[in-house]
Amino acid sequence: MKLANREAVNPERILLTVPGGASMFFMPAHVSGQGTVSIKIARVNSGNSARFLPTVMSDVLAYDSQSGVLLAAIPSETLTAIRTAASSAVATDVLGRRDVKSLGLLGTGRQAEAHVPAIQQVRDISRVVVYSRDKGRREAFAREVSRDCKVETLPADSPEEVVRESDVLVTATTSRTPLFKGEVVKNGTHVNAIGASEPDSREVDTSLVKRSILVVDSRAQAISTYGDIIIPIREKVIEETHIRAEIGELLAKKRSISRGQNDITLFKAGGLAVLDAVAADYIVSRAEGNDL
């Protein structure tokens, strides 16, 4: 909301991709009145899993906004998962129907795990359905979520099964190609697409984007780095105006949208540095207050 009210600086992130290696994202931000400036450095390599390494890694560096002195280096995988899930929960609350019961997850990583308690904060979810390519992992994930979040969680045999059974759907993968055909998504579904964040990768296809009310975290980022949006624009199926609003604009009441019971809503997010900046400033202030 501060970004929508021009109370924060959030320059477009810089993407550097090493041929055959990792994609690196450099994301600076500053919120007016805060004593810190932060830059998040995220690294993504979907091939890391074969080497028993994390596919996504990130750190936030916090600097004194006056002197420029480095104050903290914060490993941010958990922080990223929590704030991403919180953003999806806000989008679900703003855009989703009130009577949803089933949450679908594509992916079984830290991001997917964080989304269950976050969505539970805004909707009365009675069942979770999950799919990932590793059968053993999705079965273990279902048992863990059932235990930790006190909600029935079932592993599915395909992405399509998850999509068909979901009122709210979260895609949280490192896939570079669409996970399912957009026609499978039933009317009235709300989708949070939060995995793919490079111009040539996407989790949802052109069909779904076209038939959805589309809201993003950042319009500038969406048309410069989100393949889910860039590719349909390149195919001339949609125009940039298909983006109805940024979520911050809706929260700040600068824009409004209405949805019918049968409308599909799609929230596409790749992560905003300003959210990391708020969290990093809070962590630094607490550490300084406790003389850590």
Side-chain angles (χ1 to χ4, degrees), residues 210-222:
K210 182 181 179 182
R211 62 190 289 236
S212 298
I213 296 173
L214 176 61
V215 174
V216 298
D217 56 354
S218 164
R219 188 177 281 101
Q221 264 186 201

Side-chain angles (χ1 to χ4, degrees), residues 18 74 76 107 136 140:
V18 178
I74 307 167
S76 61

Side-chain angles (χ1 to χ4, degrees), residues 14 32 38 44 72 98 128 156 158 167 197 199 202 209 222 247 279:
I14 297 173
S32 297
S38 297
V44 180
R98 310 303 301 181
V128 177
S158 68
D167 300 319
S197 55
R202 55 177 175 165
V209 175
I247 190 68

Side-chain angles (χ1 to χ4, degrees), residues 7 64 215 280:
E7 297 172 0
D64 185 278
V215 174

Side-chain angles (χ1 to χ4, degrees), residues 191-203:
V191 182
N192 297 299
I194 57 94
S197 55
E198 299 174 65
D200 60 348
S201 64
R202 55 177 175 165
E203 296 179 297

Side-chain angles (χ1 to χ4, degrees), residues 84-153:
T84 302
S87 295
S88 293
V90 169
T92 300
D93 198 31
V94 172
L95 300 170
R97 296 189 347 252
R98 310 303 301 181
D99 60 346
V100 300
K101 295 297 181 184
S102 178
L103 169 63
L105 300 174
L106 295 179
T108 53
R110 194 175 298 182
Q111 290 278 11
E113 183 180 5
H115 272 74
V116 181
I119 300 296
Q120 285 180 313
Q121 293 294 313
V122 299
R123 290 295 184 273
D124 184 16
I125 299 296
S126 60
R127 187 172 69 152
V128 177
V129 187
V130 61
Y131 174 82
S132 69
R133 290 175 296 180
D134 187 318
K135 182 179 180 181
R137 173 57 189 149
R138 66 179 181 257
E139 290 177 346
F141 182 93
R143 290 192 297 270
E144 292 165 5
V145 171
S146 293
R147 180 194 67 222
D148 297 341
C149 298
K150 304 297 187 291
V151 61
E152 180 186 25
T153 305

